[in-house]
Amino acid sequence: MQSTQEPADIAVIGAGIVGSALAYYLSNNNKTKKIILVDRSLTPLNGSTGHAPGFVGQYNDSAILTRLARDTVQEYTTIPGGFDTIGGIELATSQTGAERLQRRYDSARAAGLPAELISPEEAARMAPALIKKEDVTSALYFASDGAASATCITRFYQDEARARGVECIEADITGIHKDGNGRVDGVNTGTAGFIPAKTVILATGIWAPELLPNIDTPIPIVPVAHPYMYGPYHDQKKVPSPWIRWPDHHVYARDHGPFYGLGSYNHAPVAQEPKDTAIGEWISEFDNTLKDALGFIPPETGLTPRETFNGIFSMTPDNLPLVGEVPGLEGVYLAAAVWVTHAAGTARFLCDVLEGKEVDGEIKRGLDPGRFAGRDGKTLRKVALGGYNEIYRVGGAEL
Ligand SMILES: Cc1cc2nc3c(=O)[nH]c(=O)nc-3n(C[C@H](O)[C@H](O)[C@H](O)COP(=O)(O)OP(=O)(O)OC[C@H]3O[C@@H](n4cnc5c(N)ncnc54)[C@H](O)[C@@H]3O)c2cc1C
């Protein structure tokens, strides 16, 4: 493939929170390199980032995810309007749930995160509109958690990257192109012709598998459907409530300021092929899922669905992202199935890898896109989908 353009040193494909963070960190450290950021829609953000309510719970049963979340929060708190440290509360409604919270409390403290077991009364005082204290047997408060404004952070990263010379291009990538030696030399687009690049990073979220159709190693990123709702507008409180999770019931709620939001994993997992955006068609079963979830909210709050949507995000078999060089595709890197909660830390980690810095070997192995080599792709997809209802349990993504 011939091109008269000077090849980019690095082409980041996908300008959601992950790709934009990558453009930002890469341009910070590589001022002489040509870096481009390509997305089929720079405005609006059509991927998952544009729809994430932005819960950030740093503690995770996976030490790798806890580390990435902590690194991420450290970064987000420096971005104007990027992060609100409202705290987060997990609630148990049974003895088993209370025992689990106790274990999470112990592990979070051991990891050095501020965590506190509080009484149901105290929890209800912190979020009176969202907690029925008579339901609660135990509550765990994470004071340094909060809510990220994913769109604000993404815009910040893009603007800063542009100011450092990153070129942002609107184009639909149709394939990765390799030279005669099998090394990547650019990407093909539907509208902007061939774009030459020495290194390509796929930060294409739920669409990541589409650009990797012919590799031997399974890349088990499974897009799933997920219901979320916004409630009616109300007068905003001076201090927003912490986010709330009912892990035993797979339900969570957030104070968005002028309205409340509610989401639930308490339904049969649904794999979803994404089209142009991360919003799928509404699934009628989700009406009941949200109705059940509303049962946890005090009736006097008057929370009813003003707007509902099916937002699509990625699951993987071990609930960890896939980040690193793609096996068998020299020069092609992946940064996918990354939550808002882990985006900045993950982007910084991948930058270090690309810059040849020494990185934590455990994280590198844990995130390696080649870690499923030799496994059966169909089984892996099944396992990834099955993890949806366990999202709050086994090293889940802690939405
Ligand atoms: C309803 C919902 C609730 C969520 N809640 C939370 C939460 O509370 N906390 C949390 O941490 N995470 C949450 N998530 C998950 C989080 O939103 C995602 O994990 C994260 O935004 C992924 O970011 P990304 O940059 O990898 O992908 P995306 O934001 O999806 O960006 C990928 C980009 O790639 C572009 N692209 C794809 N293919 C191509 C192509 N061929 N050519 C050009 N461009 C392409 C797309 O246009 C898109 O802009 C939620 C997600 C949803 C949908």
Side-chain angles (χ1 to χ4, degrees), residues 13-19 38-41 45-56 150 171-174 203-207 210-211 226 228 252 265 276 278 309-314 335-342 397-399:
I13 315 301
I17 196 163
V18 176
V38 189
D39 200 297
R40 56 164 79 107
S41 167
L45 291 172
N46 280 339
S48 307
T49 302
H51 310 287
F55 286 67
V56 175
D172 192 4
I173 307 300
T174 52
T204 41
I206 52 176
W207 295 275
E210 289 176 11
L211 293 172
H226 178 69
Y228 193 76
Y252 60 97
Y265 297 89
D276 290 348
F309 61 90
N310 168 12
I312 308 173
F313 57 77
S314 308
V338 181
W339 304 92
V340 168
T341 302
H342 311 111
E398 302 292 340
L399 273 185

Side-chain angles (χ1 to χ4, degrees), residues 88-327:
I89 302 178
E90 293 183 0
L91 299 172
T93 58
S94 66
Q95 186 52 32
T96 317
E99 284 160 15
R100 184 175 171 273
L101 285 194
Q102 176 71 50
R103 283 196 300 277
R104 283 175 67 77
Y105 164 77
D106 292 338
S107 306
R109 297 280 289 221
L113 277 170
E116 212 182 321
L117 284 164
I118 57 175
S119 67
E121 289 73 24
E122 209 172 332
R125 256 198 309 278
M126 290 165 105
L130 298 176
I131 297 178
K132 283 196 217 161
K133 71 169 180 285
E134 60 278 14
D135 286 354
V136 178
T137 52
S138 170
L140 175 55
Y141 175 54
F142 293 104
S144 65
D145 282 348
S149 171
T151 48
C152 162
I153 292 166
T154 305
R155 293 285 167 236
F156 172 87
Y157 283 144
Q158 283 181 17
D159 290 348
E160 291 292 309
R162 258 195 207 97
R164 293 166 180 173
V166 172
E167 193 186 342
C168 296
I169 301 169
E170 210 158 65
D172 192 4
I173 307 300
T174 52
I176 290 166
H177 194 268
K178 292 188 270 185
D179 65 16
N181 300 319
R183 197 189 192 286
V184 66
D185 64 359
V187 287
N188 295 319
T189 77
T191 43
F194 175 69
I195 301 179
K198 296 175 193 165
T199 296
V200 171
I201 307 177
L202 297 178
T204 41
I206 52 176
W207 295 275
E210 289 176 11
L211 293 172
L212 296 168
N214 294 321
I215 63 167
D216 293 335
T217 306
I219 300 291
I221 293 171
V222 181
V224 292
H226 178 69
Y228 193 76
M229 59 160 269
Y230 298 134
Y233 287 101
H234 54 65
D235 289 339
Q236 200 159 332
K237 288 182 294 158
K238 276 201 185 110
V239 183
S241 307
W243 52 249
I244 311 294
R245 286 181 190 147
W246 293 261
D248 306 347
H249 305 278
H250 317 291
V251 170
Y252 60 97
R254 185 186 157 192
D255 180 354
H256 285 272
F259 55 89
Y260 296 115
L262 188 74
S264 173
Y265 297 89
N266 197 19
H267 61 89
V270 183
Q272 182 123 43
E273 284 310 313
K275 295 185 180 144
D276 290 348
T277 77
I279 296 296
E281 270 178 34
W282 185 248
I283 295 172
S284 57
E285 183 205 342
F286 286 169
D287 287 330
N288 277 337
T289 308
L290 289 180
K291 197 169 152 223
D292 291 346
L294 281 165
F296 291 94
I297 305 296
E300 52 276 20
T301 302
L303 186 55
T304 50
R306 168 177 58 84
E307 185 184 331
T308 56
F309 61 90
N310 168 12
I312 308 173
F313 57 77
S314 308
M315 295 294 303
T316 63
D318 53 9
N319 270 324
L320 289 171
L322 281 83
V323 183
E325 196 166 20
V326 177

